[in-house]
Amino acid sequence: MSNELIFGFHSVEAILNKEPERFIEIYALKGREDKRLNPIINLARQFGVSIQFMQRKALDDKAKGEQHQGIIARVKEGKKYNEKDLDQIIANSDTPFLLVLDGVTDPHNLGACLRNADAAGVDAIIVPKDKSAKLNGTARKVACGAAETVPLVQVTNLARTLRDIKEMGVWVVGTAGETDVEVFDAKLTGPMAIVMGAEGSGMRRLTREHCDELVKIPMVGTVSSLNVSVATGICLFEVLRQRRA
């Protein structure tokens, strides 16, 4: 099993609270003592995690340009979810709520989508193994801990996975600018998967063909599109609003 570096308070604390056995070592900024860093260091010590205090330049070099907030951790690779895990996730919920990201390659966007998904109550995010952002330190930092609460399911064939979840009773709704149906007018209750495509190119053809319905976000200004994480948040919270209603 390989190791990875994670950065920032939220991502380090989230794994420390959930899976402390994954920690190999923590690198912290020397001389920094505050109410954000100290509790993490104290908790890590309780679990017997080795801690190295470093000067800022050494910490910056280790982070290789990432915004580390004064703390970096080397951890063992976490659980990877696959199609079998997805089947179980769906089976365990009366009304499964899924997010599908087709071609989202920026780890910052992946992290932001994870954070949105956690806040909206999504059961899992589905991504293709190829041409998709990896769950690296950048994505985890942006996710602010959500990478440890929302399973990221990597699938070999996204179109086939969409077909399979439809057979399990999940309604698949894709987002596309050319449709006439606005997301606020669509019925988004019950078992649901929201599919978001890449910025610019949108969903791939086979992905689109496996959607039960297409919706769009109304745009009344001069810009023609939204950042994918922003668009994702709008769609997910519309599902949540309808479910709560």
Side-chain angles (χ1 to χ4, degrees):
M1 182 178 289
S2 61
N3 301 329
E4 59 180 309
L5 288 179
I6 57 174
F7 315 94
F9 296 112
H10 291 294
S11 54
V12 172
E13 189 173 25
I15 299 179
L16 195 57
N17 282 321
K18 189 174 182 181
E19 300 176 292
E21 68 278 2
R22 288 177 55 193
F23 277 77
I24 300 169
E25 194 168 26
I26 286 178
Y27 313 103
L29 181 62
K30 188 175 183 179
R32 173 170 183 168
E33 294 187 8
D34 57 36
K35 62 182 180 180
R36 298 191 71 188
L37 182 60
N38 286 346
I40 298 176
I41 296 300
N42 292 336
L43 182 60
R45 283 175 170 154
Q46 290 178 30
F47 288 119
V49 179
S50 173
I51 301 169
Q52 282 193 42
F53 290 93
M54 312 175 74
Q55 298 293 343
R56 179 169 293 279
K57 185 180 186 309
L59 207 60
D60 290 345
D61 290 344
K62 188 171 286 293
K64 297 180 179 179
E66 296 292 340
Q67 296 298 315
H68 51 71
Q69 297 180 303
I71 188 166
I72 303 172
R74 184 176 299 280
V75 299
K76 299 173 186 176
E77 190 176 58
K79 174 178 171 60
K80 290 189 175 181
Y81 295 86
N82 56 32
E83 289 89 341
K84 290 183 179 179
D85 296 307
L86 179 61
D87 291 346
Q88 193 61 49
I89 290 168
I90 294 173
N92 287 343
S93 175
D94 293 332
T95 53
F97 184 12
L98 307 171
L99 170 62
V100 182
L101 301 178
D102 183 23
V104 175
T105 57
D106 185 343
H108 292 88
N109 282 332
L110 174 59
C113 287
L114 277 160
R115 190 173 181 178
N116 286 333
D118 175 86
V122 167
D123 295 303
I125 296 180
I126 304 170
V127 297
K129 286 183 178 178
D130 298 325
K131 297 182 179 178
S132 180
K134 304 304 179 186
L135 188 54
N136 58 17
T138 300
R140 290 183 186 278
K141 181 178 182 299
V142 176
C144 290
E148 313 313 318
T149 59
V150 182
L152 183 70
V153 182
Q154 295 181 319
V155 299
T156 304
N157 187 311
L158 184 57
R160 183 174 61 207
T161 297
L162 293 179
R163 182 197 65 201
D164 291 344
I165 67 173
K166 287 168 64 175
E167 291 177 356
M168 298 179 71
V170 176
W171 187 255
V172 178
V173 178
T175 51
E178 65 273 15
T179 182
D180 294 327
V181 181
E182 295 185 0
V183 64
F184 306 121
D185 296 326
K187 183 180 179 181
L188 302 176
T189 55
M192 181 73 50
I194 298 293
V195 186
M196 307 298 300
E199 290 184 52
S201 57
M203 294 181 293
R204 291 174 294 176
R205 179 183 60 82
L206 282 176
T207 304
R208 181 188 301 260
E209 290 176 358
H210 282 80
C211 292
D212 294 305
E213 183 180 11
L214 296 177
V215 299
K216 69 177 180 181
I217 297 172
M219 306 284 289
V220 298
T222 57
V223 298
S224 60
S225 64
L226 297 172
N227 174 277
V228 65
S229 65
V230 174
T232 297
I234 292 171
C235 293
L236 295 184
F237 278 91
E238 176 58 19
V239 175
L240 178 61
R241 185 192 70 80
Q242 293 191 24
R243 286 187 166 197
R244 289 168 64 90

